[in-house]
């Protein structure tokens, strides 16, 4: 009788095996992004930062985006810009005003800069357009937090630079060359254009990274490999913008040497690299449709930045990363701070610039004097590289916005809403542990229920 009844009961070993098998099966799908080792972590750095992501947007002055941001060096009270500074008229001067995306794409050539700067008076913002036969009153417009909610949220949680000047007192090409070479690429603005044969042997930060074995990539939104300085396309946007805005596409060696060319990829690869734990040490990013360049939507720019930042925050690279972005020139918009003139090329007017990192000072407004070569300075200091030019050698690094004495901050996922600004989340290891505990607990409950039901049925027999 006993033997016969025992034949229907699972043994202790069988029960234990069933539980372990079930828990093992349930535990298999625990999520992780650690699909491969993070090669950037193996490189020696002079700070805890192992990954830098630097993004270049387009055509806004600091006052146009952050002129009314609390605590920043924004639009002064009582400003009223004369249409003709030589013949002031209080009845016709134009005060700064809140605007939505008004679609204006102002001239921002070196000549326009000189007329707006007016020997340091900064009173020619409307006169510069009047001399061109244009009405530039819209250049006195500025945006508010409702237009750029993500950027406001980022500023309140991380770092906003309010004395970040463009490297060149001209447009996109010159400033983006400073971003990657520390120079304008030419000796005189009168000759300024991408040379017919490209930029030749001019050294770039990517050459320095290659020589030191530091990984890098150049990500381009909607990348078209067929469009380079050899085939520039037409028009002021799309593939033509790609050539003007991505300097690496204007060097023979970066197009012809597979070891270099393979590092120029579509922006989609950035998200894949984060998922695969393969983000390089240094990432340069050029947005095209999401650049914020008037008349394109600022909200589209905000959404792209949000996606990139939050993807980094949710990756294993977060604890060792800096994410930084700026705008390549002032776009003709009003800015009240006269830029220091450090050489024949710049500085130009201020540009909005921000920084996000677990080491970022919280809600910090950084008023040190920076320009695009400050990004080069950080790279060179962090990975022990020589300077490319006197500009980056003398620049103040963007590290002024970082505090390496503090413990890495957990990510604060930033939203596109000013009502719900940020969601602080625990470290990924904590997320994985909580997820694992939840799965194991569920497994125990399921296994317990299974065995209880099994024993109940056996007792009825």
């Amino acid at each position: 009788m006993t033997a016969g009844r025992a034949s229907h009961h699972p043994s202790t070993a069988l029960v234990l095996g069933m539980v372990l098998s079930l828990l093992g099966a349930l535990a298999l799908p625990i999520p992780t992004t650690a699909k491969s080792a993070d090669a950037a972590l193996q490189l020696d750095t002079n700070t805890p930062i192992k990954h830098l992501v630097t993004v270049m947007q387009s055509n806004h002055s600091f006052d146009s985006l952050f002129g009314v941001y609390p605590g920043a060096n924004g639009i002064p009270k009582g400003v009223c810009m004369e249409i003709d500074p030589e013949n002031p008229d209080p009845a016709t001067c134009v005060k700064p005003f809140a605007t939505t995306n008004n679609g204006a794409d102002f001239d921002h050539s070196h000549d326009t800069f000189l007329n707006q700067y007016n020997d340091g008076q900064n009173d020619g913002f409307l006169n510069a357009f009047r001399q061109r036969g244009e009405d530039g009153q819209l250049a006195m417009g500025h945006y508010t937090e409702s237009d750029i909610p993500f950027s406001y949220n980022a500023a309140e949680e991380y770092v906003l630079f309010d004395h970040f000047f463009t490297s060149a007192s001209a447009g996109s090409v010159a400033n983006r060359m400073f971003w990657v070479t520390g120079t304008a690429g030419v000796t005189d603005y009168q000759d300024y254009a991408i040379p017919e044969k490209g930029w030749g042997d001019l050294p770039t930060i990517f050459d320095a990274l290659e020589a030191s074995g530091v990984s890098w990539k150049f990500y381009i939104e909607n990348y078209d490999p067929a469009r380079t300085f050899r085939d520039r396309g037409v028009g002021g946007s799309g593939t033509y913008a790609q050539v003007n805005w991505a300097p690496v596409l204007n060097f023979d060696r970066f197009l012809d040497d597979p070891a270099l060319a393979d590092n120029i990829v579509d922006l989609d690869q950035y998200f894949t690299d984060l998922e695969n734990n393969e983000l390089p040490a240094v990432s340069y990013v050029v947005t095209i449709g999401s650049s914020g360049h008037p008349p394109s939507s600022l909200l589209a720019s905000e959404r792209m930045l949000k996606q990139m930042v939050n993807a980094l925050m949710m990756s294993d690279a977060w604890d060792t990363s800096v994410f930084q972005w700026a705008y390549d020139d002032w776009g003709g918009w009003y800015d009240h701070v006269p830029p220091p003139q450090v050489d024949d090329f710049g500085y130009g007017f201020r540009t909005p610039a921000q920084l996000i990192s677990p080491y970022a000072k919280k809600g910090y407004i950084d008023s040190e004097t920076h320009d695009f070569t400050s990004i080069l300075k950080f790279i060179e200091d962090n990975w022990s590289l020589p300077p490319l030019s006197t500009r980056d050698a003398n620049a103040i690094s963007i590290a002024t916005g970082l505090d390496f004495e503090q413990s890495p901050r957990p990510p604060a996922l930033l939203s596109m809403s000013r009502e719900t600004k940020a969601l602080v989340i625990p470290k990924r290891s904590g997320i994985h542990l909580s997820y694992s505990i939840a799965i194991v607990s569920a497994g125990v409950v399921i296994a317990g229920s299974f065995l209880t039901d099994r024993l109940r049925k056996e007792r009825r027999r």
Side-chain angles (χ1 to χ4, degrees):
M1 182 76 175
T2 302
R5 185 166 183 169
S7 66
H8 294 288
H9 283 291
S11 67
T12 301
L14 178 60
V15 171
L16 181 60
M18 291 170 62
V19 173
L20 292 176
S21 296
L22 180 57
L23 292 181
L26 288 171
L28 284 177
I30 295 176
T32 177
T33 58
K35 298 181 180 179
S36 59
D38 188 341
L41 294 179
Q42 311 309 313
L43 299 173
D44 290 334
T45 54
N46 294 316
T47 75
I49 301 304
K50 303 290 185 178
H51 306 88
L52 169 71
V53 180
T54 174
V55 183
M56 192 64 83
Q57 304 287 87
S58 295
N59 287 38
H60 283 283
S61 70
F62 183 87
D63 279 344
S64 76
L65 292 192
F66 286 97
V68 294
Y69 184 82
N73 185 6
I75 300 169
K77 293 182 180 179
V79 171
C80 196
M81 186 61 55
E82 298 289 349
I83 295 176
D84 181 0
E86 300 300 320
N87 298 287
D89 183 353
T92 60
C93 66
V94 180
K95 296 179 180 180
F97 59 93
T99 183
T100 57
N101 194 343
N102 57 38
D105 185 8
F106 308 111
D107 180 76
H108 45 279
S109 64
H110 180 58
D111 286 342
T112 292
F113 166 83
L114 291 176
N115 288 327
Q116 292 181 332
Y117 177 67
N118 195 19
D119 294 326
Q121 299 302 307
N122 261 41
D123 60 3
F125 281 87
L126 301 185
N127 186 44
F129 297 114
R130 183 181 69 86
Q131 292 184 27
R132 293 172 55 87
E134 300 171 359
D135 181 0
Q137 294 188 48
L138 292 177
M140 296 301 294
H142 65 79
Y143 295 92
T144 67
E145 61 181 327
S146 62
D147 302 300
I148 51 170
F150 173 82
S151 295
Y152 263 65
N153 290 341
E156 290 183 358
E157 190 68 32
Y158 296 102
V159 177
L160 172 67
F161 297 94
D162 70 352
H163 279 75
F164 197 111
F165 296 91
T166 60
S167 298
S169 53
S172 300
V173 176
N175 280 300
R176 289 167 186 256
M177 284 296 288
F178 271 106
W179 185 40
V180 303
T181 72
T183 74
V186 296
T187 58
D188 191 296
Y189 273 129
Q190 298 303 317
D191 302 326
Y192 205 80
I194 299 171
E196 182 179 350
K197 295 184 178 180
W199 294 113
D201 296 328
L202 185 66
T204 73
I205 190 60
F206 311 114
D207 298 300
L209 293 169
E210 280 284 319
S212 296
V214 180
S215 58
W216 64 275
K217 279 186 182 175
F218 202 108
Y219 300 93
I220 302 173
E221 184 183 15
N222 302 322
Y223 178 42
D224 180 357
R227 287 288 182 251
T228 69
F229 78 96
R230 298 166 178 167
D231 184 2
R232 307 184 188 203
V234 295
S237 61
T239 55
Y240 184 74
Q242 174 179 287
V243 176
N244 282 347
W245 293 356
V248 288
L249 300 180
N250 303 311
F251 291 82
D252 283 320
R253 64 185 179 279
F254 286 100
L255 303 177
D256 299 333
D257 182 350
L260 301 177
D262 288 348
N263 288 346
I264 305 172
V265 296
D266 191 89
L267 182 53
D268 286 347
Q269 187 64 40
Y270 167 82
F271 300 97
T272 301
D273 287 345
L274 284 175
E275 291 175 1
N276 295 334
N277 216 26
E278 294 177 348
L279 187 71
V282 175
S283 301
Y284 271 60
V285 180
V286 164
T287 52
I288 304 293
S290 304
S291 70
H293 187 300
S296 63
S297 168
L298 278 172
L299 287 178
S301 169
E302 294 272 286
R303 282 190 288 270
M304 177 58 76
L305 289 169
K306 173 181 177 290
Q307 291 172 12
M308 294 184 67
V309 168
N310 287 353
L312 178 62
M313 288 182 173
M314 293 302 294
S315 77
D316 290 328
W318 165 251
D319 278 353
T320 58
S321 293
V322 167
F323 188 102
Q324 177 275 330
W325 71 96
Y327 291 74
D328 61 5
D329 61 62
W330 84 108
W333 297 86
Y334 167 71
D335 193 84
H336 79 279
V337 177
Q341 296 303 286
V342 297
D343 58 30
D344 290 340
F345 284 96
Y347 297 136
F349 296 115
R350 294 182 304 166
T351 180
Q354 296 182 254
L355 179 150
I356 289 174
S357 171
Y359 293 97
K361 300 174 184 178
K362 183 176 174 64
Y364 183 62
I365 297 176
D366 190 327
S367 296
E368 294 284 352
T369 298
H370 296 92
D371 76 310
F372 299 129
T373 66
S374 297
I375 302 164
L376 294 177
K377 182 70 169 179
F378 177 83
I379 296 171
E380 292 156 0
D381 287 350
N382 196 52
W383 282 278
S384 300
L385 306 178
L388 294 169
S389 70
T390 56
R391 273 290 197 95
D392 50 309
N394 296 326
I396 298 175
S397 168
I398 58 172
T400 53
L402 303 171
D403 180 3
F404 295 118
E405 298 299 319
Q406 71 184 25
S407 298
R409 295 167 53 190
L413 292 178
L414 302 169
S415 77
M416 291 284 289
S417 167
R418 291 292 288 154
E419 285 70 38
T420 306
K421 300 177 182 180
L423 173 64
V424 178
I425 60 175
K427 291 184 178 180
R428 290 184 61 81
S429 57
I431 294 174
H432 290 168
L433 178 60
S434 300
Y435 192 82
S436 302
I437 291 173
I439 290 178
V440 171
S441 299
V444 170
V445 171
I446 293 171
S449 298
F450 173 81
L451 292 177
T452 300
D453 183 66
R454 180 71 179 270
L455 291 173
R456 185 181 298 114
K457 289 180 179 178
E458 289 295 330
R459 291 193 184 100
R460 291 173 181 170
R461 293 183 179 183

